[in-house]
């Protein structure tokens, strides 16, 4: 029986991961800021017979990250899902630098610290999995959000190269537009996004877990986003940035 820790577990892709992992038989450690939503989800998953631990934490703070890193080591987790994240909804230069600092802590430092804690547990026993939720935005030059996700993708690739031989597999999930609370929380109306560009959380989770089990360093679920990601990675950066900017002010 495996034990998985999921950050940002009470909504969106994180919620889908928590439910899917519990349904397949994993016990779970749930991490999020909202204690009431955490408790409700824990009650739901315990009703399925799973053991559920709850860790309320704000991963944009040092104390929050330290609390979750301690949980990773204490529970000796088998799977880490770094999912917690958000977006400011504006491009760098039009944002408050304090907000950018908080985003950097949440999107870059927190997953790095949790990966370090996971390696402390996984490397000695020569087994474990790490799944980092990035974005297809990682392949486009689109301000700090894309830069954060590109950082996650790059480090995940290196982690997989460096530690797969020791039994620790790392995959970066790169979703496109997903129907979650993401855009509403940052005050963006996504109604002009074409229907064909939307995917479901279940599609993302199924694809990510399949690619993780197959040892792939990058997971881009759905054929249409595989094509778009390939174009974005190899087309001229200026062209990609222009097209992306015309299409949306933000991309998940």
């Amino acid at each position: 029986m495996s034990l998985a820790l999921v950050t940002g577990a009470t909504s969106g892709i994180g919620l889908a991961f928590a439910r899917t992992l519990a349904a397949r038989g994993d016990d779970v450690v749930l991490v999020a800021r909202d204690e009431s939503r955490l408790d409700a989800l824990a009650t739901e998953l315990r009703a399925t017979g799973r053991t559920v631990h709850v860790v309320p934490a704000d991963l944009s703070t040092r104390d929050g990250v330290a609390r979750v890193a301690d949980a990773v080591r204490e529970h000796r987790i088998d799977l880490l899902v770094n999912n917690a994240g958000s977006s400011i909804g504006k491009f760098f230069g039009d944002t408050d630098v304090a907000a950018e600092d908080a985003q950097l802590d949440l999107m870059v430092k927190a997953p790095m610290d949790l990966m370090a804690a996971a390696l402390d547990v996984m490397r000695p026993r020569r087994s474990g999995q790490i799944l980092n939720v990035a974005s297809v935005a990682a392949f486009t030059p689109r301000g700090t959000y894309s830069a954060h996700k590109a950082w996650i993708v790059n480090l995940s690739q290196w982690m997989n190269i460096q530690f797969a031989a020791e039994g620790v597999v790392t995959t970066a999930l790169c979703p496109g537009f997903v129907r979650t609370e993401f855009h509403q929380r940052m005050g963006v109306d996504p109604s002009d996004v074409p229907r064909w560009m939307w995917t479901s959380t279940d599609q993302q989770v199924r694809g990510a877990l399949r690619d993780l089990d197959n040892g792939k360093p990058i997971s881009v679920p759905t054929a249409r986003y595989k094509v778009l990601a390939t174009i974005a990675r190899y087309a001229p950066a200026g062209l990609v940035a222009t097209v992306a900017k015309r299409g949306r002010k933000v991309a998940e």
Side-chain angles (χ1 to χ4, degrees), residues 3-167:
L3 177 62
L5 184 146
V6 182
T7 68
T10 57
S11 65
I13 293 175
L15 177 58
F17 268 116
R19 286 172 170 162
T20 298
L21 292 169
R24 79 176 189 180
D26 290 9
D27 293 330
V28 291
V29 181
L30 306 175
V31 179
R33 291 179 300 174
D34 190 322
E35 291 191 49
S36 62
R37 295 180 77 171
L38 272 177
D39 290 339
L41 178 59
T43 299
E44 172 191 330
L45 299 184
R46 286 171 183 145
T48 69
R50 303 273 57 84
T51 297
V52 180
H53 307 277
V54 170
V55 184
D58 181 350
L59 290 175
S60 67
T61 68
R62 289 186 178 182
D63 288 345
V65 174
R67 191 177 308 123
V68 179
D70 287 345
V72 169
R73 297 186 179 98
E74 176 187 350
H75 295 293
R76 302 189 60 77
I77 63 168
D78 301 289
L79 167 61
L80 168 65
V81 180
N82 270 319
N83 167 76
S86 63
S87 178
I88 297 174
K90 296 179 180 179
F91 284 123
F92 181 73
D94 294 325
T95 55
D96 179 74
V97 71
E100 292 285 7
D101 286 341
Q103 284 294 104
L104 189 66
D105 288 340
L106 174 63
M107 308 280 276
V108 174
K109 187 178 184 303
M112 180 184 69
D113 287 2
L114 298 188
M115 281 189 278
L119 287 176
D120 287 345
V121 171
M122 296 174 181
R123 291 183 70 190
R125 72 180 181 217
R126 302 186 67 82
S127 69
Q129 295 178 312
I130 298 172
L131 206 160
N132 297 316
V133 178
S135 169
V136 292
F139 309 125
T140 67
R142 293 178 56 79
T144 52
Y145 180 79
S146 292
H148 299 154
K149 295 304 189 180
W151 187 93
I152 285 289
V153 169
N154 190 293
L155 183 58
S156 297
Q157 289 179 290
W158 179 85
M159 290 267 292
N160 207 47
I161 292 168
Q162 184 73 7
F163 299 117
E166 298 182 33

